[in-house]
Amino acid sequence: MTRGFYIGRFQPYHNGHHSVVETISEEVDELVLGIGSAGDSHTRHDPFTAGERIMMITKSLVDSDLVTYAVPIEDLDRNSVWVSHVQSMSPEFDVAYSNNPLVIQLFKEAGVEVRQSPMFNRDVLEGTEVRDRMVEGGDWEKLVPEPVTEVIEESGGIERIQRVSQTDSNGV
Amino acid sequence: MTRGFYIGRFQPYHNGHHSVVETISEEVDELVLGIGSAGDSHTRHDPFTAGERIMMITKSLVDSDLVTYAVPIEDLDRNSVWVSHVQSMSPEFDVAYSNNPLVIQLFKEAGVEVRQSPMFNRDVLEGTEVRDRMVEGGDWEKLVPEPVTEVIEESGGIERIQRVSQTDSNGV
Amino acid sequence: MTRGFYIGRFQPYHNGHHSVVETISEEVDELVLGIGSAGDSHTRHDPFTAGERIMMITKSLVDSDLVTYAVPIEDLDRNSVWVSHVQSMSPEFDVAYSNNPLVIQLFKEAGVEVRQSPMFNRDVLEGTEVRDRMVEGGDWEKLVPEPVTEVIEESGGIERIQRVSQTDSNGV
Amino acid sequence: MTRGFYIGRFQPYHNGHHSVVETISEEVDELVLGIGSAGDSHTRHDPFTAGERIMMITKSLVDSDLVTYAVPIEDLDRNSVWVSHVQSMSPEFDVAYSNNPLVIQLFKEAGVEVRQSPMFNRDVLEGTEVRDRMVEGGDWEKLVPEPVTEVIEESGGIERIQRVSQTDSNGV
Amino acid sequence: MTRGFYIGRFQPYHNGHHSVVETISEEVDELVLGIGSAGDSHTRHDPFTAGERIMMITKSLVDSDLVTYAVPIEDLDRNSVWVSHVQSMSPEFDVAYSNNPLVIQLFKEAGVEVRQSPMFNRDVLEGTEVRDRMVEGGDWEKLVPEPVTEVIEESGGIERIQRVSQTDSNGV
Amino acid sequence: MTRGFYIGRFQPYHNGHHSVVETISEEVDELVLGIGSAGDSHTRHDPFTAGERIMMITKSLVDSDLVTYAVPIEDLDRNSVWVSHVQSMSPEFDVAYSNNPLVIQLFKEAGVEVRQSPMFNRDVLEGTEVRDRMVEGGDWEKLVPEPVTEVIEESGGIERIQRVSQTDSNGV
């Protein structure tokens, strides 16, 4: 049995994430999706709460054969203890998937295997694109799995990101 | 569709919790199990990490018809913002289940419906009993669902709780 | 112009505090009432929020000739920086009033004048007595200034302290 | 009886804030001035301590018929619990006044009435202007109520903001 | 080259600690003394600041042939990340010395070698005894290395612990 | 006996810092080197842990006649309590050395003597230059004392800063 770990902010969970999960699913039996910056919400960069992101992920993967866990990870703002923090919050995992250089470095120093893939870069690019379209009234729905659309609509997510994007800082 | 919320420390998830979940399952379609004090571990009162507790819950409920979410909730140490914190970390819920007077008071002040039941008291009593047996080498296995036994054995949980119970405080 | 500083938890503001303020008012032109443990609430030991305590103090002193400031002071859990924290949150003051040995020691090490009085001990004793009566349904109203009764009744404070007193710990 | 809530950083309290308070005073009986980022000080963006800002506000409003409360609000860095935090620190209020999109969104999601006005934008613009003049030795005094000038001079505020403005970051 | 790590609160550094260091010095070339609960001070249980404890240790070991490092370690209140925290704050070490069951368990789970010795228990017992004598006016000086006496006298440590011991809690 | 205090991030400890220490050594008997932002690591701006920086400083000053203390200082993110925080973590000192305007202001408001020197500016400039060369593969070794080179090589510091510099933010 192999369990993988895939960290992201999932703001929101989109097709780029979804392809990554499908790719990883060929290599592992179970996958933990670590929801980073779980405490952040209500900003243009991080519009959705951890609870909303759990819903997006769970609903999008409900028909998948892969056993998945959506686990919120709050920021500790200490790179040197980040791996221990993740390991205590997550079901035990054998391999981490990431293209983020900092994440790779931290896992490597802790002796955790990390696998990279060029396609992982899609998730960062698409996240910004999705949020830009949400703010500007563009067609964001086709960039995310269908259940994500429902979660966002139920939470009034579009009105939220449009309004908070008018603020020039990330906090109150 | 009705979604319930059931908070506990689940140290560990035991038969008392399991009965509560079964009872609640007759009233809701989905249930969030909020794992309280998620950051605490390695003490007699809180021996297991959030990740280990997620595993216990998920594995114990894998065959249940109920849709469940196991969500770690870190302590904020502020009763006045606790409900908002829980609501941001959890999928949206319609009703909370608890017999804890403080939890009941906080949810009521926030306008959230709370349902109580005499049987909920079992979980607190049984949690202490399970941990006592673990420390003293008694028969704890029969008090927990079978998958919980596996999680605890794989994590070396018995050796851990036995050793840390010799410490006279809860921290390093 | 002399400004004094008087720290307390004011859970709730009662006649003992009120006498202390009257006594101090003969020595100073203005008085800051520092509301300690401002973030704590909803426990038997600290039932009321900082906002409720501000109301109790302000309404009780509305007819006083003394210029007063009610200032919430959140805990930093660091004795060594406590004086600096208080000084940054409070209007500048010339003398502190306290019978608490720790508070006296911290102010003295920081070079702040501290004045003590046997009568200051009343406030601690009376705080416990007031809360005990609230929990047990006794006659607490005569131990507090009249406006405090209103604040507590409007906030549902009696039901709150009675319920949370059934919990065996101070947090969720 | 209607009580309003008006949040700002008040770095410093200036004529723009003062006009807003005057306008609001026609709609409410009492007004809470929430002093945001209360823990920040000694930077160009946030030069004054919470205690100094309490003094500015209280002294400027001493002759007003409006009952006012100046309440420091420390940052929690969690948008999702910000409203609960504010509500626990402040006397209970019926309506919030703000033009800040994030503040508006958070209060609306929490079901709190928010009133906006074009004139509220003055406060942000004027705050920057006042601080710029302080740093560059310009005529800032005419942009603030007279008592504010005294508070700043007594605290050595001009020397402070001029010196810390030479630092390229916001912290030590 | 072998470097050891020895954690303690050192409230104060006493003869029991000193004997432990001497014993360890036969096994290692360098030794890190981790000063635990570095942020705590001004209580009966933790009377001295981290800075004062650094002085006690450094002055007591000035003539030792052992290369030593006195490193304050602030509490993170998360057992699961404690080892990572210690490792980031301390010069790299090969072996940890402790009789504390929790410390032993945490290091073992992290794969760090731990060495125990019956004599290590002296340090806990003696710490309480030294503080009791300080509070009660007994002969504490003979229980600590001579330089520790000087540090405590210069800081007014006896008056401090005697006064704060009259307080019934550990914080302001 | 005079003890000085010199604060820096020491990322890494380089020849600029070393000259400053030599200059200060003519004025004091002992010197505390406060390692600022002790909790930060694994970023381009702050690549090294506090433990690694303690090693750099201690090894570089091992042959100096000056008695030195390398003391990690974690950020509290509160300018108003920073001096108290530093004073509690550090051996007591008589004079602080700094050219940082914020540090100067904070110490002055607290009544601590501060000494400045044009040469102190070297340390900031050289820190950036050293890190730039590390990232770009340039000749950084000649900008630091020899023992620093060893510490960095043993910790894999060059690979670390090169990798994390590809990340566009400072945290996970």
Side-chain angles (χ1 to χ4, degrees), chain E residues 64-79:
Chain E
S64 167
D65 290 337
L66 192 67
V67 176
T68 56
Y69 306 79
V71 179
I73 309 279
E74 299 190 24
D75 287 333
L76 274 194
D77 289 325
R78 283 277 183 115
N79 287 333

Side-chain angles (χ1 to χ4, degrees), chain A residues 41-42 74 160 163 167 172, chain D residues 78-79 82 101-102 105 109:
Chain A
S41 68
H42 294 83
E74 299 189 25
R160 185 196 297 164
R163 189 179 278 122
T167 300
V172 174
Chain D
R78 283 275 185 116
N79 288 333
W82 185 80
L102 174 56
Q105 179 68 19
E109 289 195 19

Side-chain angles (χ1 to χ4, degrees), chain C residues 149-164:
Chain C
T149 312
E150 290 161 34
V151 173
I152 290 173
E153 278 170 2
E154 275 170 31
S155 67
I158 299 304
E159 182 192 344
R160 186 196 296 164
I161 192 172
Q162 288 181 343
R163 188 179 278 122
V164 299

